[in-house]
């Protein structure tokens, strides 16, 4: 039995597919999966058996003609069912083509009405939104596959870590990104306290951040140009990760790392909290700032124009949380630098 899974973006959402696919393959021994996504994301799923990949290219598969071509290419792989875990116009068009061919297509419930209610309702009155991994799991259940939520793969992996403290101070939108001055100040403060720090981000982000930081023997930077597997492997040497509501938060959590995350316009209760245990959130309470959260994905400009939800979270507050989570008396010496050699597992 072979099924097609569609999820084209974004990185954090695709990363959250890893524990779900791991679980569904473990619980359905006769199932084979084809994952159609962007080629750089293939590395997120290295090591999973009975999983093959097919590249979605925004250029090659542009418009109705490109999507029609893609549907023909995918149909030739011998798939019997289609699971749309993205729920966007492109995947809806693909599902139309598949249904014309007689292939059943099962789509994700994006809980749009509940999300609107979530944003409008006050604290204590909000509807409960399912976590992204559970909404993915629901699609497999609708398609008739066995899926038990209590599977340990979905719960995440948790075990002791050693090494530097990771810091990913960037996110996909300004409303989810802490002020750069604050990120620099936090890094400097933690270095002064005696922590080793490893900064994560894109090449452009890291270059900008590096230009504001003096060289320090306890400060290192990731090497994103080596690919996602190398980035993930470098996280395996961390004691923990400080991050925004971002892909790096989810990548770190999937390694079993304890995380400390800073939330601005979004909120973890909206279904995008990191998986697993040992996670702590820093956010402005709604009793102090009633406009939080203002969006589900952090893509809505701040109505106040000052991004108070992030501005009011000070570096000193975050530093205190770091010391509480990872006490200084357990900070290791400089013998373990980041090892960015790729591995097969996430």
């Amino acid at each position: 039995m072979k099924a097609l899974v569609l999820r084209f973006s974004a990185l954090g959402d695709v990363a959250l597919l890893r524990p779900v696919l791991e679980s569904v393959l473990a619980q359905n021994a006769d199932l084979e999966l084809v994952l159609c996504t962007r080629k750089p994301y293939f590395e997120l799923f290295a090591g999973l058996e009975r999983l093959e990949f097919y590249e979605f290219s925004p250029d090659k598969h542009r418009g109705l003609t490109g999507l029609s071509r893609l549907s023909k290419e995918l149909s030739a792989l011998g798939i019997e069912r289609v699971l749309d875990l993205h729920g966007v116009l492109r995947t809806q068009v693909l599902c139309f083509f598949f249904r014309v061919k007689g292939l059943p297509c099962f789509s994700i419930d994006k809980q749009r009405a509940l999300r609107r209610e979530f944003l409008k309702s006050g604290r204590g009155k909000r509807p409960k939104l399912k976590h992204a991994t559970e909404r993915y799991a629901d699609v497999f259940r609708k398609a008739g596959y066995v899926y038990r939520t209590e599977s340990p793969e979905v719960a995440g992996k948790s075990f002791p870590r050693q090494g530097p403290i990771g810091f990913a101070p960037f996110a996909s939108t300004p409303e989810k990104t802490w002020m750069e001055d604050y990120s620099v100040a936090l890094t400097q403060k933690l270095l002064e306290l005696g922590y080793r720090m490893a900064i994560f981000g894109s090449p452009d982000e890291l270059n900008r951040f590096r230009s504001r930081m003096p060289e320090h023997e306890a400060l290192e930077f990731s090497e994103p140009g080596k690919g996602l597997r190398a980035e993930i492997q470098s996280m395996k040497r961390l004691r923990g990760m400080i991050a925004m509501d971002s892909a790096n938060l989810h990548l770190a959590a999937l390694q079993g790392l304890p995380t400390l995350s800073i939330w601005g316009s979004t909120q973890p209760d909206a279904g995008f909290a990191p998986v697993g245990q040992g996670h702590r959130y820093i956010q402005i309470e709604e009793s102090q700032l009633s406009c939080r959260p203002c969006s589900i994905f952090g893509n809505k400009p701040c109505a106040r124009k000052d991004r108070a939800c992030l501005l009011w979270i000070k570096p000193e507050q975050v530093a205190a949380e770091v010391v509480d989570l990872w006490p200084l008396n357990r900070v290791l010496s400089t013998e373990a630098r980041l090892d960015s050699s790729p591995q097969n597992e996430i």
Side-chain angles (χ1 to χ4, degrees):
M1 183 183 301
K2 183 180 285 190
L4 170 67
V5 175
L6 303 172
R7 179 78 216 196
F8 301 152
S9 62
L11 176 55
D13 299 291
V14 178
L16 287 172
L17 258 183
R18 166 76 190 215
V20 176
L21 298 190
E22 203 169 351
S23 292
V24 77
L25 287 168
Q27 296 175 46
N28 297 267
D30 60 342
L31 178 62
E32 298 178 20
L33 294 177
V34 177
L35 174 60
C36 182
T37 191
R38 298 173 190 246
K39 189 172 184 178
Y41 300 160
F42 291 0
E43 296 183 49
L44 293 170
F45 304 90
L48 288 187
E49 297 181 357
R50 291 181 282 122
L51 176 66
E52 60 182 284
F53 304 101
Y54 201 91
E55 180 184 1
F56 165 75
S57 169
D59 295 325
K60 179 182 175 183
H61 303 124
R62 185 187 301 275
L64 286 175
T65 302
L67 291 174
S68 176
R69 185 188 314 117
L70 178 59
S71 71
K72 292 175 182 176
E73 293 167 355
L74 291 169
S75 298
L77 300 178
I79 57 174
E80 300 173 34
R81 297 176 188 177
V82 180
L83 293 89
D84 175 10
L85 303 186
H86 204 160
V88 295
L89 182 59
R90 281 170 169 161
T91 56
Q92 291 165 357
V93 170
L94 280 171
C95 281
F96 170 78
F97 289 137
F98 287 129
R99 290 187 178 109
V100 169
K101 300 174 189 294
L103 288 171
C105 189
F106 304 88
S107 299
I108 191 169
D109 178 6
K110 303 192 84 167
Q111 296 189 298
R112 288 189 174 92
L114 284 177
R115 284 174 171 175
R116 288 192 292 269
E117 187 180 343
F118 182 90
L119 294 175
K120 292 178 181 178
S121 304
R123 186 177 182 180
K125 302 177 182 178
R126 289 198 176 97
K128 183 175 177 58
L129 295 179
K130 290 184 177 181
H131 194 272
T133 54
E134 185 61 20
R135 290 187 294 110
Y136 291 157
D138 283 343
V139 183
F140 282 97
R141 294 188 187 103
K142 284 193 293 185
Y145 301 114
V146 176
Y147 197 103
R148 293 183 296 277
T149 303
E150 65 269 22
S151 170
E153 287 81 6
V154 173
K157 307 171 182 114
S158 183
F159 43 90
R161 297 291 184 179
Q162 297 177 338
I165 301 296
F167 184 24
F170 308 102
S172 59
T173 68
E175 283 67 34
K176 297 197 295 183
T177 306
W178 208 26
M179 286 63 193
E180 190 169 295
D181 287 347
Y182 286 4
S183 294
V184 170
L186 174 66
T187 304
Q188 291 173 332
K189 177 64 176 176
L190 294 176
L191 289 171
E192 290 170 5
L193 288 173
Y195 286 96
R196 294 173 48 227
M197 299 291 295
I199 311 300
F200 289 78
S202 70
D204 288 343
E205 292 167 341
L206 293 178
N207 286 338
R208 189 172 72 247
F209 197 85
R210 195 193 305 261
S211 70
R212 299 196 57 183
M213 292 294 303
E215 289 191 13
H216 195 293
E217 64 175 6
L219 176 65
E220 52 194 90
F221 293 84
S222 67
E223 300 180 71
K226 291 189 174 181
L228 278 174
R229 258 199 289 177
E231 190 91 342
I232 290 165
Q233 180 62 18
S234 69
M235 290 182 182
K236 294 177 183 292
R237 301 292 300 276
L238 302 176
R239 298 184 68 205
M241 173 69 83
I242 310 164
M244 309 297 114
D245 172 14
S246 65
N248 275 316
L249 172 64
H250 296 299
L251 292 176
L254 286 168
Q255 311 320 305
L257 286 170
T259 68
L260 175 64
S261 50
I262 299 169
W263 296 74
S265 64
T266 58
Q267 194 178 69
D269 289 345
F272 297 102
V275 299
Q277 308 298 318
H279 306 302
R280 189 179 296 187
Y281 314 127
I282 298 180
Q283 54 187 332
I284 300 299
E285 292 296 328
E286 293 164 46
S287 58
Q288 298 175 269
L289 197 60
S290 60
C291 57
R292 280 201 74 242
C294 64
S295 68
I296 298 294
F297 303 108
N299 54 358
K300 179 181 177 182
C302 176
R304 290 173 49 106
K305 310 298 184 185
D306 64 350
R307 293 193 292 153
C309 55
L310 291 163
L311 185 67
W312 293 0
I313 299 173
K314 303 299 183 182
E316 296 78 13
Q317 177 188 354
V318 180
E321 294 283 353
V322 171
V323 172
D324 184 56
L325 277 171
W326 303 293
L328 282 165
N329 61 5
R330 297 203 332 245
V331 174
L332 301 182
S333 62
T334 58
E335 77 271 11
R337 302 297 290 176
L338 282 178
D339 178 4
S340 58
S341 58
Q343 297 288 320
N344 287 334
E345 70 278 8
I346 190 169

